[in-house]
Amino acid sequence: MNSSDWSDIENDAVVASYFEMLTDELSGRSYNKAAQNRTLQEQTGRSRGSIEFKLCNVSAAFVGLGLPIIKGYRPRFNFQMSLAEAASRWLALHSEWELALHRKATAVLAEPPSLFVGTAPTLRNAPPPEELEQMQRVARHFDVAGRDERNRALGHAGEERVFHHERQLLKQHDRDDLARRVRWVSQEDGDGAGYDIASFTPEGHERLIEVKTTNGWERTPFHVSRNELEVTAERRDDWYLFRLYEFARAPQAFELRPPLDAHVTLTATNFQASFQ
């Protein structure tokens, strides 16, 4: 059996197989891991165990890329960047894949139950995982935050889910009057307000919610605009960042309050050039 580094052709094959199984899993369809492994053995000349290990490496690469992963392949880190590059190539050739995930999510959103909002990872007592530096390196290299930001279907689906969540939460507190007044601002008025949803606390205080959605894990980076930062300063008591993650599988959430730099590192990624 071949014991050398995996070639691009081999990486492309294992990534394509992974995406095929992941698509079935997210759609609720059964699939045969053993059959996929046998096919990959024929394509690459690698052993069964080597392929199983590599599929776990793919899971780790997908975490860094802000993608959902197959439950049965526990991420094994310290993978080569060439594996993440293979996943990026696949996504470039199959741009409809992520769009289909969120069209499906939107189609079933009649009036979903409210979300459980957990604790932000920056506020937990547990230290960051050892592999965080590698995940951040992958995310920067492939601009994962930018890809999520440009994914209009993902952003729309996330905002819609939070809109329903806010209405349901107010109804659970017997505030139907306030629930009827919740507005999906970015949908009704367009972007530019510095928040997406205008809601209320059960006591009637305003909640101006900026929604950031990803299919990745809880520490997937995200973009914040200059306008959003300005609104956090102007409406500090009312502004909330609502982070949705693992959205394609079972959405989970946490909130961040201003000042954001108390929770996350804010890094300038581009600059506007103006003539004088």
Side-chain angles (χ1 to χ4, degrees):
M1 292 292 180
N2 192 351
S3 60
S4 63
D5 289 342
W6 288 56
S7 67
D8 286 346
I9 293 175
E10 291 173 316
N11 282 334
D12 286 341
V14 75
V15 163
S17 177
Y18 192 100
F19 268 113
E20 183 178 339
M21 290 186 284
L22 177 61
T23 301
D24 285 339
E25 184 169 293
L26 293 175
S27 301
R29 297 189 295 266
S30 61
Y31 57 93
N32 191 324
K33 289 183 179 179
Q36 290 280 356
N37 191 299
R38 287 192 295 271
T39 299
L40 286 171
Q41 289 178 53
E42 295 172 359
Q43 292 175 329
T44 65
R46 304 278 179 171
S47 69
R48 177 184 177 278
S50 176
I51 289 169
E52 288 294 296
F53 192 94
K54 196 69 172 181
L55 287 165
C56 291
N57 285 153
V58 176
S59 285
F62 275 35
V63 172
L65 288 166
L67 296 169
I69 65 173
I70 296 174
K71 290 182 178 179
Y73 291 118
R74 183 177 179 180
R76 290 182 177 270
F77 297 91
N78 296 320
F79 54 86
Q80 293 182 321
M81 188 67 78
S82 59
L83 192 58
E85 290 169 351
S88 181
R89 285 194 296 274
W90 193 95
L91 286 171
L93 292 172
H94 303 85
S95 58
E96 77 288 349
W97 186 78
E98 286 188 284
L99 294 176
L101 290 181
H102 308 120
R103 282 197 297 267
K104 176 184 175 183
T106 304
V108 299
L109 276 179
E111 190 80 8
S114 58
L115 294 156
F116 172 74
V117 181
T119 305
T122 53
L123 302 179
R124 292 177 181 161
N125 293 325
E130 293 181 1
E131 63 273 5
L132 180 59
E133 183 178 346
Q134 184 183 21
M135 296 300 94
Q136 290 175 335
R137 186 167 63 252
V138 172
R140 287 193 302 269
H141 184 82
F142 293 98
D143 190 17
V144 169
R147 195 184 79 239
D148 281 346
E149 188 75 14
R150 292 187 295 271
N151 190 333
R152 302 295 295 177
L154 173 64
H156 184 278
E159 290 174 18
E160 184 172 8
R161 185 65 193 269
V162 175
F163 173 75
H164 288 301
H165 163 81
E166 290 294 309
R167 286 169 50 88
Q168 288 282 39
L169 200 60
L170 289 166
K171 290 177 182 179
Q172 290 170 12
H173 285 85
D174 297 321
R175 294 306 308 263
D176 290 43
D177 58 326
L178 294 178
R180 289 191 292 270
R181 294 170 55 194
V182 175
R183 296 183 63 239
W184 188 350
V185 175
S186 61
Q187 180 77 356
E188 297 177 25
D189 302 337
D191 294 327
Y195 55 91
D196 300 308
I197 309 293
S199 184
F200 304 91
T201 68
E203 296 75 28
H205 302 300
E206 284 189 286
R207 272 172 55 84
L208 307 180
I209 304 169
E210 175 64 28
V211 183
K212 302 292 183 181
T213 309
T214 185
N215 287 318
W217 68 323
E218 59 190 12
R219 292 179 182 269
T220 301
F222 55 87
H223 277 183
V224 180
S225 71
R226 180 176 179 176
N227 182 49
E228 289 160 4
L229 287 177
E230 290 175 351
V231 176
T232 68
E234 296 168 0
R235 303 294 302 273
R236 180 169 179 161
D237 293 336
D238 306 321
W239 195 90
Y240 298 75
L241 190 146
F242 200 108
R243 181 57 161 163
L244 281 169
Y245 62 98
E246 295 185 8
F247 188 74
R249 190 182 296 281
Q252 303 184 62
F254 60 82
E255 290 184 342
L256 298 178
R257 299 300 313 281
L260 288 182
D261 56 9
H263 311 286
V264 297
T265 300
L266 297 174
T267 304
T269 57
N270 56 62
F271 297 89
Q272 177 177 301
S274 301
F275 292 100
Q276 297 187 10

